[in-house]
Amino acid sequence: MKNSVSSRLTERTAAEVARTIYEPPMQGFDAPALERMCALNEAHAAMLAARGLIPADCARDILRGIAQIRAEGPAAIDLDPQFEDSYFAFENRLGQVAGKAVAGWLHVGRSRNDIGSTLDRMAARETCLALLAAMEEARRACLAAAGRHVLTVMPGYSHLQPAQPITFGYYLANVARGMEREHERLAAVLDRLDACPLGSAALAGTSFAIDRDETADLLGFAGPAAPGLDAVASRDFVTELLWAVTSAQVLFSRVAQDLYVFTTWEFGALTFPDRVAGTSSIMPQKKNMLPLEYFRAEAGRSIGALAGALAAVKGSNYSIGLDSVREGVADAWPAFARFEAGLSLLRLIFETATPDAEKLLARCKANFSTATDLADGLVRDFGVSFRDAHHVVGRAVQMVLAAGGGAEELTVAVLNEAAEAEIGRSFDLPEERLRRWMDPVEAVRARTVPGGTAPEVVSALLAEMEARLAADAGLRTRRSAALEAASERLASRVAELTA
């Protein structure tokens, strides 16, 4: 039986080849994919007509046929894997609608290679814009939560041990800063993929006098991608986007792990409403923080997708091949969809996280997290070196712990006993001053340096990040508007040619 797409091949594609290689990607040909295919073909047909490379009546019939296919939707296209891919399936349907002799003109000056690369860039562009918008919503929720908790004192941890007092707002401000950088990485991918491969043909361009600037403009790209081999053979914009997504997933996983620990019975420092939790089929008391577990798992899945894509592409030739442009990056697209879905979940987590302010403050008072402030006070008021002060306070803490006490039992008498042992002197220190130095609220307020924990410093930082968020959202909105304007230019050109 004759091959469905080529006279060079004398046999019908083997069922095993069609089922394994061609069928899976064709099943993803949905409404957005159809719209991208229609727009690409409209832009190319309009350009060919403008350059006189196809007759005007031929361009009109092609464009009318595309309009009919768009109206019919993906279900009207025969996605038989014998067609090899969605482009040939689309061309087959266009031949049925407009006539094969007419539809065949549409392939002047191009190849499936540049078509596929252009479609992938269009899809990645849409994905990038959607991810940026979702990331902005999550950033906005994080900043709002940080603002609500600028005064909520809590222990800051290093090595998961109490370190120094911070606030929950300060913690979230740090998370928001990390999200800001992840947003930058996503936006940078959008900048680099903004070039149109259409017209590169198979890899060497075409001898037809096409206008690549026009097709790029009608499809909303900044200009043509060049040279042609790189334009069709590279999908590094996909792997770069996957790297950016994976980097963000790793950040979210680390934050989720913190919050997960804070919600345990042993920590009991953070709660979420019941609607943001799961339960057990056997243990009636259980409230499981499944959304936080989700982020830890998703980071691993994204890392796997990235490693798999890079491993597949690295062995390919620098040209078109299934491993370099399709199969090698196939797992990236589901990873992008999961990431977008996860961002709405992250927003919910920021909106609903409720710290136990009373318990957290009490822990700061009991867990020696103000020991550094005590050492700082000795340096400032008594002229000892910080290292000597560190040794004195460290010994005092050890003495209290050995006696089974907590930070409240670290008195001036204990401190002076430690000082005599360590540096051979004592301090004329009022008990009230020592208690002030060891007050977690005062410790937080004292850090007024840029990047510190003082409420006014954190509030100023949040205001700066909110301004940056507004600027980022504005830039994304303008990019989306530019794409809409290009779509309107294309629709206007099509209307002129089909009138």
Side-chain angles (χ1 to χ4, degrees):
M1 186 179 294
K2 183 180 178 182
N3 187 273
S4 298
V5 296
S6 173
S7 296
R8 165 63 180 84
L9 304 179
T10 59
E11 296 179 320
R12 181 178 172 84
T13 301
E16 295 86 348
V17 173
R19 182 173 60 251
T20 305
I21 297 177
Y22 300 141
E23 185 175 1
M26 291 179 74
Q27 298 311 305
F29 191 70
D30 53 12
L34 174 61
E35 179 53 40
R36 288 190 290 271
M37 183 75 79
C38 288
L40 181 148
N41 285 319
E42 286 172 336
H44 190 67
M47 179 276 294
L48 292 176
R51 299 291 289 178
L53 295 172
I54 61 174
D57 59 343
C58 181
R60 180 197 62 214
D61 292 345
I62 287 173
L63 292 170
R64 287 178 176 173
I66 293 172
Q68 179 177 329
I69 294 172
R70 177 185 278 115
E72 292 172 341
I77 297 176
D78 182 4
L79 294 173
D80 185 344
Q82 287 292 326
F83 288 123
E84 294 191 0
D85 62 26
S86 56
Y87 171 70
F88 272 134
F90 182 93
E91 186 181 81
N92 176 67
R93 180 57 184 156
L94 184 61
Q96 294 172 346
V97 171
K100 290 187 177 181
V102 170
W105 281 97
L106 184 58
H107 213 55
V108 169
R110 68 180 192 177
S111 160
R112 271 192 303 175
N113 293 359
D114 58 339
I115 292 172
S117 183
T118 303
L119 290 172
D120 282 349
R121 289 190 186 231
M122 293 170 72
R125 184 174 62 186
E126 293 173 12
T127 297
C128 241
L129 288 168
L131 295 184
L132 288 170
M135 179 72 90
E136 288 155 19
E137 287 300 310
R139 284 169 64 189
R140 190 169 290 113
C142 184
L143 289 170
R148 291 194 298 272
H149 294 290
V150 167
L151 299 177
T152 305
V153 176
M154 65 174 283
Y157 295 90
S158 60
H159 308 279
L160 206 55
Q161 298 296 322
Q164 292 179 298
I166 60 172
T167 66
F168 193 51
Y170 176 80
Y171 174 84
L172 291 175
N174 285 266
V175 174
R177 182 62 90 193
M179 293 177 69
E180 192 176 90
R181 290 194 302 275
E182 303 302 346
H183 189 282
E184 289 176 6
R185 280 186 260 273
L186 292 170
V189 180
L190 187 58
D191 290 335
R192 277 189 280 277
L193 66 78
D194 192 17
C196 184
L198 196 60
S200 299
L203 57 89
T206 176
S207 60
F208 290 99
I210 63 174
D211 186 345
R212 295 193 63 202
D213 287 307
E214 180 179 6
T215 48
D217 177 72
L218 291 174
L219 293 175
F221 287 100
L229 173 58
D230 177 70
V232 302
S234 296
R235 294 297 188 276
D236 54 357
F237 55 91
V238 177
T239 52
E240 185 182 11
L241 182 56
L242 184 53
W243 152 245
V245 163
T246 302
S247 177
Q249 292 281 36
V250 169
L251 169 65
F252 300 159
S253 178
R254 297 180 71 191
V255 173
Q257 176 62 12
D258 277 350
L259 303 185
Y260 192 75
V261 170
F262 295 162
T263 61
T264 61
W265 185 88
E266 288 76 9
F267 267 73
L270 190 68
T271 59
F272 288 88
D274 289 350
R275 69 180 184 277
V276 192
T279 188
S280 166
S281 67
I282 184 173
M283 295 167 283
Q285 84 281 8
K286 291 298 294 295
K287 180 176 179 179
N288 299 327
M289 289 313 303
L290 304 183
L292 299 176
E293 295 173 349
Y294 172 87
F295 284 104
R296 296 186 309 189
E298 276 305 301
R301 295 182 72 181
S302 194
I303 290 169
L306 177 61
L310 295 176
V313 174
K314 67 92 182 171
S316 65
N317 296 95
Y318 196 40
S319 60
I320 284 288
L322 281 183
D323 45 355
S324 59
V325 305
R326 198 180 78 189
E327 295 299 322
V329 297
D331 291 338
W333 303 101
F336 300 153
R338 293 196 305 271
F339 181 65
E340 183 179 0
L343 285 168
S344 64
L345 179 59
L346 184 64
R347 173 191 52 76
L348 178 65
I349 286 170
F350 289 139
E351 289 174 346
T352 57
T354 305
D356 187 330
E358 184 177 340
K359 181 182 289 185
L360 289 170
L361 179 58
R363 285 181 177 170
C364 283
K365 292 179 178 179
N367 63 16
F368 298 99
S369 62
T370 54
T372 300
D373 297 85
L374 177 51
D376 288 347
L378 296 179
V379 171
R380 275 193 303 266
D381 288 12
F382 295 96
V384 298
S385 74
F386 182 80
R387 188 54 55 214
D388 281 346
H390 186 283
H391 289 322
V392 168
V393 175
R395 178 178 281 253
V397 169
Q398 177 58 38
M399 291 167 58
V400 172
L401 290 174
E408 291 292 335
E409 282 72 49
L410 202 167
T411 62
V412 172
V414 173
L415 182 68
N416 279 330
E417 184 180 347
E420 289 287 355
E422 287 290 332
I423 61 175
R425 62 168 291 188
S426 60
F427 307 106
D428 184 15
L429 175 63
E431 196 74 39
E432 180 274 331
R433 192 189 309 174
L434 182 143
R435 298 268 68 86
R436 188 171 70 250
W437 287 348
M438 297 188 68
D439 183 349
V441 175
E442 291 297 325
V444 165
R445 289 174 178 168
R447 283 160 171 76
T448 58
V449 297
T453 57
E456 65 272 20
V457 174
V458 176
S459 294
L461 179 64
L462 294 176
E464 179 259 309
M465 286 195 283
E466 286 166 359
R468 175 62 183 274
L469 173 57
D472 288 343
L475 178 58
R476 175 190 52 78
T477 299
R478 290 191 293 275
R479 282 172 159 162
S480 296
L483 289 181
E484 291 177 6
S487 180
E488 291 171 2
R489 288 194 299 274
L490 177 58
S492 177
R493 185 72 61 81
V494 168
E496 292 172 3
L497 292 169
T498 55

Short mmCIF file of all heavy atoms in Angstrom, two decimals, residues 281-327:
data_model
loop_
_atom_site.label_atom_id
_atom_site.label_comp_id
_atom_site.label_asym_id
_atom_site.label_seq_id
_atom_site.Cartn_x
_atom_site.Cartn_y
_atom_site.Cartn_z
N SER A 281 -7.17 7.15 55.94
CA SER A 281 -8.31 6.24 55.84
C SER A 281 -8.50 5.42 57.11
O SER A 281 -9.57 4.84 57.32
CB SER A 281 -8.11 5.29 54.66
OG SER A 281 -7.02 4.41 54.91
N ILE A 282 -7.47 5.36 57.96
CA ILE A 282 -7.54 4.51 59.15
C ILE A 282 -7.36 5.28 60.44
O ILE A 282 -7.94 4.94 61.46
CB ILE A 282 -6.48 3.38 59.05
CG1 ILE A 282 -6.61 2.42 60.23
CG2 ILE A 282 -5.07 3.94 58.97
CD1 ILE A 282 -5.70 1.20 60.11
N MET A 283 -6.56 6.35 60.41
CA MET A 283 -6.25 7.10 61.64
C MET A 283 -7.07 8.39 61.67
O MET A 283 -6.78 9.34 60.93
CB MET A 283 -4.75 7.41 61.69
CG MET A 283 -3.89 6.15 61.80
SD MET A 283 -2.13 6.44 61.50
CE MET A 283 -2.11 6.57 59.71
N PRO A 284 -8.11 8.43 62.47
CA PRO A 284 -9.06 9.54 62.42
C PRO A 284 -8.49 10.89 62.86
O PRO A 284 -9.10 11.91 62.59
CB PRO A 284 -10.20 9.09 63.34
CG PRO A 284 -9.61 8.04 64.22
CD PRO A 284 -8.54 7.38 63.42
N GLN A 285 -7.35 10.87 63.54
CA GLN A 285 -6.80 12.13 64.04
C GLN A 285 -5.93 12.85 63.01
O GLN A 285 -5.52 13.99 63.23
CB GLN A 285 -5.95 11.85 65.30
CG GLN A 285 -4.51 11.42 65.04
CD GLN A 285 -4.37 9.95 64.64
OE1 GLN A 285 -5.36 9.28 64.41
NE2 GLN A 285 -3.14 9.48 64.55
N LYS A 286 -5.67 12.22 61.87
CA LYS A 286 -4.64 12.71 60.97
C LYS A 286 -5.08 13.94 60.17
O LYS A 286 -6.21 14.02 59.68
CB LYS A 286 -4.22 11.61 59.98
CG LYS A 286 -3.49 10.48 60.61
CD LYS A 286 -2.17 10.89 61.24
CE LYS A 286 -1.14 11.36 60.24
NZ LYS A 286 -0.71 10.28 59.33
N LYS A 287 -4.15 14.88 60.05
CA LYS A 287 -4.27 16.02 59.14
C LYS A 287 -2.94 16.11 58.41
O LYS A 287 -1.95 16.60 58.94
CB LYS A 287 -4.56 17.31 59.91
CG LYS A 287 -4.69 18.54 59.00
CD LYS A 287 -5.07 19.78 59.80
CE LYS A 287 -5.17 21.01 58.90
NZ LYS A 287 -5.55 22.22 59.67
N ASN A 288 -2.92 15.61 57.19
CA ASN A 288 -1.68 15.48 56.43
C ASN A 288 -1.49 16.64 55.47
O ASN A 288 -2.41 16.98 54.70
CB ASN A 288 -1.70 14.16 55.64
CG ASN A 288 -1.80 12.95 56.53
OD1 ASN A 288 -1.28 12.95 57.64
ND2 ASN A 288 -2.47 11.91 56.06
N MET A 289 -0.30 17.22 55.47
CA MET A 289 -0.03 18.37 54.62
C MET A 289 0.45 17.91 53.24
O MET A 289 1.60 18.08 52.83
CB MET A 289 0.99 19.29 55.28
CG MET A 289 0.44 20.04 56.49
SD MET A 289 -1.18 20.81 56.17
CE MET A 289 -0.80 21.84 54.76
N LEU A 290 -0.48 17.33 52.50
CA LEU A 290 -0.17 16.79 51.18
C LEU A 290 0.30 17.86 50.19
O LEU A 290 1.18 17.59 49.37
CB LEU A 290 -1.40 16.06 50.62
CG LEU A 290 -1.97 14.93 51.49
CD1 LEU A 290 -3.13 14.26 50.79
CD2 LEU A 290 -0.90 13.93 51.85
N PRO A 291 -0.27 19.09 50.23
CA PRO A 291 0.22 20.10 49.28
C PRO A 291 1.72 20.39 49.43
O PRO A 291 2.40 20.65 48.44
CB PRO A 291 -0.62 21.33 49.63
CG PRO A 291 -1.89 20.77 50.17
CD PRO A 291 -1.45 19.56 50.96
N LEU A 292 2.23 20.31 50.65
CA LEU A 292 3.65 20.56 50.85
C LEU A 292 4.48 19.38 50.34
O LEU A 292 5.56 19.57 49.77
CB LEU A 292 3.94 20.84 52.32
CG LEU A 292 3.22 22.06 52.89
CD1 LEU A 292 3.48 22.19 54.39
CD2 LEU A 292 3.63 23.34 52.16
N GLU A 293 3.96 18.18 50.53
CA GLU A 293 4.64 17.00 49.97
C GLU A 293 4.67 17.07 48.45
O GLU A 293 5.63 16.61 47.81
CB GLU A 293 3.92 15.73 50.42
CG GLU A 293 3.98 15.51 51.93
CD GLU A 293 3.13 14.33 52.38
OE1 GLU A 293 2.33 13.82 51.56
OE2 GLU A 293 3.26 13.93 53.54
N TYR A 294 3.63 17.63 47.88
CA TYR A 294 3.54 17.75 46.42
C TYR A 294 4.74 18.51 45.86
O TYR A 294 5.34 18.10 44.84
CB TYR A 294 2.23 18.47 46.05
CG TYR A 294 2.10 18.82 44.58
CD1 TYR A 294 1.58 17.90 43.68
CD2 TYR A 294 2.49 20.06 44.09
CE1 TYR A 294 1.44 18.21 42.34
CE2 TYR A 294 2.37 20.37 42.75
CZ TYR A 294 1.84 19.45 41.87
OH TYR A 294 1.73 19.77 40.54
N PHE A 295 5.12 19.60 46.49
CA PHE A 295 6.22 20.40 45.97
C PHE A 295 7.55 19.67 46.06
O PHE A 295 8.41 19.82 45.19
CB PHE A 295 6.28 21.75 46.68
CG PHE A 295 5.22 22.70 46.23
CD1 PHE A 295 4.11 22.93 47.01
CD2 PHE A 295 5.32 23.33 45.00
CE1 PHE A 295 3.11 23.79 46.59
CE2 PHE A 295 4.33 24.18 44.57
CZ PHE A 295 3.22 24.42 45.36
N ARG A 296 7.73 18.88 47.09
CA ARG A 296 8.96 18.10 47.19
C ARG A 296 9.03 17.07 46.06
O ARG A 296 10.09 16.86 45.47
CB ARG A 296 9.05 17.42 48.55
CG ARG A 296 9.14 18.39 49.71
CD ARG A 296 9.38 17.70 51.03
NE ARG A 296 8.45 16.59 51.27
CZ ARG A 296 8.35 15.95 52.42
NH1 ARG A 296 9.12 16.29 53.44
NH2 ARG A 296 7.49 14.96 52.57
N ALA A 297 7.91 16.46 45.76
CA ALA A 297 7.88 15.47 44.68
C ALA A 297 8.08 16.13 43.32
O ALA A 297 8.81 15.61 42.46
CB ALA A 297 6.55 14.71 44.71
N GLU A 298 7.43 17.27 43.12
CA GLU A 298 7.51 17.93 41.81
C GLU A 298 8.92 18.38 41.48
O GLU A 298 9.34 18.36 40.32
CB GLU A 298 6.55 19.12 41.75
CG GLU A 298 5.14 18.75 41.38
CD GLU A 298 5.08 17.98 40.07
OE1 GLU A 298 5.53 18.52 39.03
OE2 GLU A 298 4.59 16.84 40.08
N ALA A 299 9.68 18.80 42.48
CA ALA A 299 11.07 19.17 42.22
C ALA A 299 11.84 17.97 41.69
O ALA A 299 12.61 18.09 40.73
CB ALA A 299 11.73 19.71 43.50
N GLY A 300 11.61 16.81 42.27
CA GLY A 300 12.27 15.61 41.80
C GLY A 300 11.85 15.25 40.38
O GLY A 300 12.69 14.87 39.55
N ARG A 301 10.58 15.36 40.08
CA ARG A 301 10.10 15.04 38.73
C ARG A 301 10.69 16.00 37.70
O ARG A 301 11.06 15.60 36.59
CB ARG A 301 8.57 15.09 38.68
CG ARG A 301 7.89 14.06 39.53
CD ARG A 301 6.38 14.14 39.39
NE ARG A 301 5.93 13.64 38.09
CZ ARG A 301 4.65 13.62 37.71
NH1 ARG A 301 3.71 14.09 38.53
NH2 ARG A 301 4.31 13.16 36.53
N SER A 302 10.77 17.26 38.06
CA SER A 302 11.31 18.25 37.14
C SER A 302 12.81 18.03 36.90
O SER A 302 13.30 18.15 35.78
CB SER A 302 11.06 19.66 37.69
OG SER A 302 11.27 20.64 36.69
N ILE A 303 13.53 17.70 37.96
CA ILE A 303 14.95 17.37 37.82
C ILE A 303 15.11 16.17 36.88
O ILE A 303 15.99 16.15 36.01
CB ILE A 303 15.58 17.07 39.19
CG1 ILE A 303 15.68 18.36 40.01
CG2 ILE A 303 16.96 16.45 39.04
CD1 ILE A 303 16.03 18.13 41.47
N GLY A 304 14.26 15.18 37.04
CA GLY A 304 14.32 14.01 36.16
C GLY A 304 14.05 14.36 34.71
O GLY A 304 14.73 13.87 33.81
N ALA A 305 13.04 15.22 34.48
CA ALA A 305 12.73 15.62 33.11
C ALA A 305 13.90 16.38 32.49
O ALA A 305 14.24 16.19 31.32
CB ALA A 305 11.47 16.48 33.10
N LEU A 306 14.51 17.27 33.27
CA LEU A 306 15.65 18.05 32.77
C LEU A 306 16.83 17.14 32.46
O LEU A 306 17.45 17.25 31.39
CB LEU A 306 16.04 19.11 33.78
CG LEU A 306 17.26 19.97 33.42
CD1 LEU A 306 17.02 20.75 32.13
CD2 LEU A 306 17.59 20.92 34.57
N ALA A 307 17.16 16.26 33.39
CA ALA A 307 18.29 15.34 33.16
C ALA A 307 18.03 14.45 31.95
O ALA A 307 18.93 14.21 31.13
CB ALA A 307 18.54 14.50 34.41
N GLY A 308 16.79 13.98 31.81
CA GLY A 308 16.45 13.13 30.68
C GLY A 308 16.56 13.86 29.36
O GLY A 308 17.08 13.33 28.37
N ALA A 309 16.08 15.10 29.33
CA ALA A 309 16.14 15.88 28.09
C ALA A 309 17.59 16.15 27.68
O ALA A 309 17.97 15.97 26.52
CB ALA A 309 15.39 17.20 28.28
N LEU A 310 18.38 16.58 28.62
CA LEU A 310 19.78 16.87 28.30
C LEU A 310 20.53 15.62 27.89
O LEU A 310 21.36 15.65 26.97
CB LEU A 310 20.46 17.54 29.49
CG LEU A 310 19.91 18.92 29.88
CD1 LEU A 310 20.62 19.43 31.14
CD2 LEU A 310 20.07 19.93 28.75
N ALA A 311 20.24 14.51 28.53
CA ALA A 311 20.91 13.25 28.19
C ALA A 311 20.53 12.79 26.79
O ALA A 311 21.36 12.26 26.05
CB ALA A 311 20.56 12.17 29.21
N ALA A 312 19.27 13.01 26.40
CA ALA A 312 18.82 12.61 25.06
C ALA A 312 19.42 13.50 23.98
O ALA A 312 19.91 13.03 22.96
CB ALA A 312 17.29 12.64 24.99
N VAL A 313 19.40 14.80 24.23
CA VAL A 313 19.86 15.74 23.21
C VAL A 313 21.38 15.69 23.05
O VAL A 313 21.90 15.86 21.94
CB VAL A 313 19.41 17.18 23.57
CG1 VAL A 313 20.01 18.19 22.60
CG2 VAL A 313 17.88 17.27 23.53
N LYS A 314 22.11 15.42 24.11
CA LYS A 314 23.58 15.50 24.05
C LYS A 314 24.16 14.48 23.07
O LYS A 314 25.24 14.70 22.53
CB LYS A 314 24.18 15.33 25.44
CG LYS A 314 24.03 13.96 26.09
CD LYS A 314 25.20 13.04 25.81
CE LYS A 314 24.96 11.69 26.46
NZ LYS A 314 25.97 10.69 26.02
N GLY A 315 23.48 13.40 22.81
CA GLY A 315 24.01 12.39 21.89
C GLY A 315 23.56 12.57 20.46
O GLY A 315 23.91 11.77 19.59
N SER A 316 22.76 13.61 20.19
CA SER A 316 22.24 13.81 18.84
C SER A 316 23.20 14.62 17.99
O SER A 316 24.05 15.35 18.49
CB SER A 316 20.88 14.52 18.90
OG SER A 316 21.05 15.82 19.42
N ASN A 317 23.07 14.49 16.67
CA ASN A 317 23.82 15.35 15.76
C ASN A 317 23.25 16.77 15.83
O ASN A 317 22.11 16.98 16.23
CB ASN A 317 23.73 14.83 14.34
CG ASN A 317 24.37 13.46 14.20
OD1 ASN A 317 23.69 12.44 14.27
ND2 ASN A 317 25.66 13.44 14.01
N TYR A 318 24.09 17.72 15.39
CA TYR A 318 23.62 19.10 15.39
C TYR A 318 22.80 19.33 14.12
O TYR A 318 23.18 20.07 13.20
CB TYR A 318 24.80 20.06 15.46
CG TYR A 318 24.42 21.48 15.83
CD1 TYR A 318 23.46 21.74 16.80
CD2 TYR A 318 25.03 22.58 15.22
CE1 TYR A 318 23.11 23.02 17.15
CE2 TYR A 318 24.69 23.88 15.55
CZ TYR A 318 23.74 24.09 16.52
OH TYR A 318 23.41 25.38 16.86
N SER A 319 21.66 18.68 14.08
CA SER A 319 20.74 18.76 12.95
C SER A 319 19.41 18.23 13.43
O SER A 319 19.23 17.94 14.60
CB SER A 319 21.27 17.95 11.76
OG SER A 319 21.42 16.59 12.12
N ILE A 320 18.47 18.09 12.52
CA ILE A 320 17.16 17.59 12.88
C ILE A 320 17.23 16.10 13.21
O ILE A 320 17.84 15.31 12.49
CB ILE A 320 16.16 17.83 11.73
CG1 ILE A 320 15.75 19.30 11.69
CG2 ILE A 320 14.93 16.96 11.85
CD1 ILE A 320 14.83 19.71 12.82
N GLY A 321 16.60 15.71 14.28
CA GLY A 321 16.48 14.31 14.67
C GLY A 321 15.42 14.21 15.74
O GLY A 321 15.17 15.16 16.48
N LEU A 322 14.80 13.06 15.85
CA LEU A 322 13.76 12.89 16.85
C LEU A 322 14.29 13.16 18.26
O LEU A 322 13.62 13.77 19.09
CB LEU A 322 13.18 11.48 16.79
CG LEU A 322 12.16 11.16 15.70
CD1 LEU A 322 11.68 9.74 15.87
CD2 LEU A 322 10.99 12.12 15.75
N ASP A 323 15.53 12.69 18.52
CA ASP A 323 16.07 12.86 19.86
C ASP A 323 16.43 14.31 20.17
O ASP A 323 16.38 14.74 21.31
CB ASP A 323 17.30 11.96 20.08
CG ASP A 323 18.28 11.98 18.92
OD1 ASP A 323 17.99 12.60 17.90
OD2 ASP A 323 19.34 11.34 19.06
N SER A 324 16.74 15.10 19.15
CA SER A 324 17.16 16.48 19.41
C SER A 324 16.00 17.47 19.46
O SER A 324 16.08 18.47 20.15
CB SER A 324 18.16 16.94 18.34
OG SER A 324 17.60 16.86 17.04
N VAL A 325 14.92 17.18 18.72
CA VAL A 325 13.86 18.20 18.63
C VAL A 325 12.49 17.74 19.10
O VAL A 325 11.60 18.58 19.26
CB VAL A 325 13.74 18.75 17.18
CG1 VAL A 325 15.07 19.26 16.70
CG2 VAL A 325 13.18 17.70 16.23
N ARG A 326 12.31 16.44 19.33
CA ARG A 326 10.98 16.02 19.74
C ARG A 326 11.01 15.05 20.91
O ARG A 326 10.67 15.40 22.04
CB ARG A 326 10.20 15.41 18.57
CG ARG A 326 8.70 15.37 18.86
CD ARG A 326 7.92 14.76 17.73
NE ARG A 326 8.00 13.31 17.70
CZ ARG A 326 7.55 12.55 16.70
NH1 ARG A 326 7.02 13.14 15.64
NH2 ARG A 326 7.65 11.24 16.76
N GLU A 327 11.45 13.83 20.68
CA GLU A 327 11.44 12.84 21.75
C GLU A 327 12.31 13.28 22.93
O GLU A 327 11.96 13.06 24.09
CB GLU A 327 11.92 11.49 21.22
CG GLU A 327 11.02 10.87 20.18
CD GLU A 327 9.63 10.59 20.69
OE1 GLU A 327 9.49 10.18 21.86
OE2 GLU A 327 8.66 10.77 19.93
#
